[in-house]
Amino acid sequence: MLDAREVANRVKALQGSVGKSDPADIVSQIETLKKEVAPSEEILRTTKAGILMGKLRQNPNKDIARAATEVVAKWKKAVEQEKAAKKGKASASPAPKPASPAPKPVAAGTKKKFEGDPEKRKFQADGVDVKRTGSSVRDNCIGLIYNGLAYRSTESVDSVLQRAIEVEHAAFKAFNGETKEYKEKIRSLFQNLKVKSNADLGKGVMSGEIVAEKFVQMSSQELMSAEMRKQNALLEEENMKKAQVPMAEKSMSESLECGRCKKRMVAYTQAQTRSADEPMTTFCECMNCRHRWKVSFPPILLSYHTFAPCKAVRAWITDLHFGHVGIILGLCIHVSL
């Protein structure tokens, strides 16, 4: 059988013969490739033999087209068999990994209440051995849940440890091992247990009211305290009301000029942001470059600004303080004369 280099040479020779040599010679070269090439996907791709044969199937000479079609059919079948063999090897089930053992049960011990500072409880300070599964990841998760359940609790060390083991084991089963979801859930449970206003959550787990299997499936909303859920509901209601308030309609002015892009495509609205005897604040937005600014035009002055006879006077009106309305109006009259 020909190697890849020889196949590439034969393909190049055949390609040069097409259209120049006798059709019988071309058919002979095709038959040689059919017999002596052990087709594989890699060889056909690197030598471009498959591309050439595909083109020769469209050759106007019937003998060449027939021979090329037969080669393509043979090679295609061989490549498909090769792929199927590789797929079969890949799908062959590997040796199963030893399942992570179930956590070691807590030895029967004292149920004496904790007498130290409950806010500083951690498994290290309580002298708890969290190495229960043979996996450092799972053992650390047991320690994390222990710290969450023990926070501000006076339950005995053995009781807290037993609950922590149950919760970790339930999470391990629910999320199919040491997956990303498993780790994220353990962190989420710990964070919710450490919220001071959510003391009922830890008490519910410790009392058995919230079983471990249910605990690891609770949503973030369910893990919140009743007070936090109430606050979120009020905030959502308030945001909904704000969203339903109609926006003030903007007026367009072709006389106001944007200081950034110098275009006269300015929309404005007015609001009374100061005391009633002060002029209204005018909020301007350029529709071209979205530049925003605000000025304190009194309504009458805004109309004179709009219809001022020249750009210089409009600029003075914008920049000057509005205690000099009479002077500015005099300027407008003077310029118009």
Side-chain angles (χ1 to χ4, degrees), residues 155-203:
E155 293 287 341
S156 69
V157 169
D158 290 343
S159 297
V160 177
L161 178 58
Q162 183 60 44
R163 290 295 186 222
I165 291 173
E166 291 172 0
V167 170
E168 185 281 329
H169 186 59
F172 184 80
K173 289 177 62 179
F175 296 98
N176 301 316
E178 298 173 14
T179 59
K180 179 182 177 181
E181 292 78 12
Y182 160 82
K183 297 174 185 177
E184 288 177 350
K185 191 63 180 183
I186 292 293
R187 282 195 293 268
S188 173
L189 297 178
F190 168 72
Q191 290 165 357
N192 281 277
L193 289 169
K194 292 284 285 185
V195 176
K196 288 187 177 181
S197 61
N198 203 12
D200 290 341
L201 181 64
K203 291 178 181 178

Side-chain angles (χ1 to χ4, degrees), residues 305 308 310-320:
H305 177 280
C310 70
K311 182 177 178 181
V313 174
R314 284 195 295 271
W316 292 337
I317 293 174
T318 303
D319 296 335
L320 290 175

Side-chain angles (χ1 to χ4, degrees), residues 176-244:
N176 301 316
E178 298 173 14
T179 59
K180 179 182 177 181
E181 292 78 12
Y182 160 82
K183 297 174 185 177
E184 288 177 350
K185 191 63 180 183
I186 292 293
R187 282 195 293 268
S188 173
L189 297 178
F190 168 72
Q191 290 165 357
N192 281 277
L193 289 169
K194 292 284 285 185
V195 176
K196 288 187 177 181
S197 61
N198 203 12
D200 290 341
L201 181 64
K203 291 178 181 178
V205 177
M206 290 303 303
S207 67
E209 181 182 348
I210 303 175
V211 296
E213 289 75 13
K214 177 184 176 182
F215 185 44
V216 300
Q217 296 288 358
M218 290 172 71
S219 66
S220 57
Q221 187 73 14
E222 293 171 327
L223 290 169
M224 289 181 186
S225 65
E227 179 184 355
M228 183 61 69
R229 283 197 294 269
K230 184 177 179 181
Q231 289 179 3
N232 285 350
L234 291 174
L235 182 60
E236 185 177 350
E237 183 179 355
E238 182 181 350
N239 289 337
M240 185 64 69
K241 289 179 180 178
K242 287 181 179 179
Q244 292 173 349

Side-chain angles (χ1 to χ4, degrees), residues 30-285:
I30 293 174
E31 291 294 337
T32 301
L33 288 173
K34 179 181 176 181
K35 294 176 183 177
E36 299 185 10
V37 172
S40 68
E41 187 176 8
E42 183 180 357
I43 288 178
L44 296 180
R45 185 174 59 251
T46 55
T47 62
K48 298 183 180 181
I51 296 174
L52 177 59
M53 288 300 170
K55 291 180 179 179
L56 290 178
R57 287 187 302 173
Q58 308 300 324
N59 194 280
N61 185 284
K62 293 182 179 180
D63 292 334
I64 295 175
R66 177 188 52 77
T69 301
E70 291 176 358
V71 173
V72 169
K74 179 183 177 182
W75 288 356
K76 184 177 180 181
K77 184 177 179 180
V79 170
E80 287 176 352
Q81 290 175 349
E82 178 191 13
K83 286 183 178 179
K86 288 181 179 179
K87 187 176 180 181
K89 291 180 181 179
S91 61
S93 53
K97 294 182 179 179
S100 183
K104 297 177 184 177
V106 179
T110 178
K111 296 292 183 180
K112 184 179 178 181
K113 295 284 184 180
F114 181 78
E115 297 178 350
D117 185 353
E119 292 201 2
K120 296 181 179 179
R121 288 191 72 177
K122 290 186 177 180
F123 74 87
Q124 299 95 331
D126 289 357
V128 175
D129 180 16
V130 296
K131 295 180 180 179
R132 302 278 164 170
T133 65
S135 164
S136 60
V137 172
R138 294 187 64 188
D139 292 342
N140 288 335
C141 289
I142 291 175
L144 200 62
I145 296 297
Y146 181 98
N147 292 347
L149 291 172
Y151 178 63
R152 307 185 79 185
S153 172
T154 58
E155 293 287 341
S156 69
V157 169
D158 290 343
S159 297
V160 177
L161 178 58
Q162 183 60 44
R163 290 295 186 222
I165 291 173
E166 291 172 0
V167 170
E168 185 281 329
H169 186 59
F172 184 80
K173 289 177 62 179
F175 296 98
N176 301 316
E178 298 173 14
T179 59
K180 179 182 177 181
E181 292 78 12
Y182 160 82
K183 297 174 185 177
E184 288 177 350
K185 191 63 180 183
I186 292 293
R187 282 195 293 268
S188 173
L189 297 178
F190 168 72
Q191 290 165 357
N192 281 277
L193 289 169
K194 292 284 285 185
V195 176
K196 288 187 177 181
S197 61
N198 203 12
D200 290 341
L201 181 64
K203 291 178 181 178
V205 177
M206 290 303 303
S207 67
E209 181 182 348
I210 303 175
V211 296
E213 289 75 13
K214 177 184 176 182
F215 185 44
V216 300
Q217 296 288 358
M218 290 172 71
S219 66
S220 57
Q221 187 73 14
E222 293 171 327
L223 290 169
M224 289 181 186
S225 65
E227 179 184 355
M228 183 61 69
R229 283 197 294 269
K230 184 177 179 181
Q231 289 179 3
N232 285 350
L234 291 174
L235 182 60
E236 185 177 350
E237 183 179 355
E238 182 181 350
N239 289 337
M240 185 64 69
K241 289 179 180 178
K242 287 181 179 179
Q244 292 173 349
V245 174
M247 297 294 289
E249 185 177 353
K250 292 184 177 182
S251 301
M252 291 293 298
S253 171
E254 295 181 356
S255 299
L256 293 173
E257 184 179 283
C258 174
R260 177 181 293 175
C261 69
K262 306 302 180 183
K263 296 285 187 180
R264 293 184 183 178
M265 299 170 58
V266 179
Y268 65 90
T269 56
Q270 288 186 308
Q272 189 69 50
T273 59
R274 295 181 288 178
S275 59
D277 59 340
E278 295 288 339
M280 296 181 73
T281 301
T282 302
F283 297 90
C284 303
E285 180 180 3

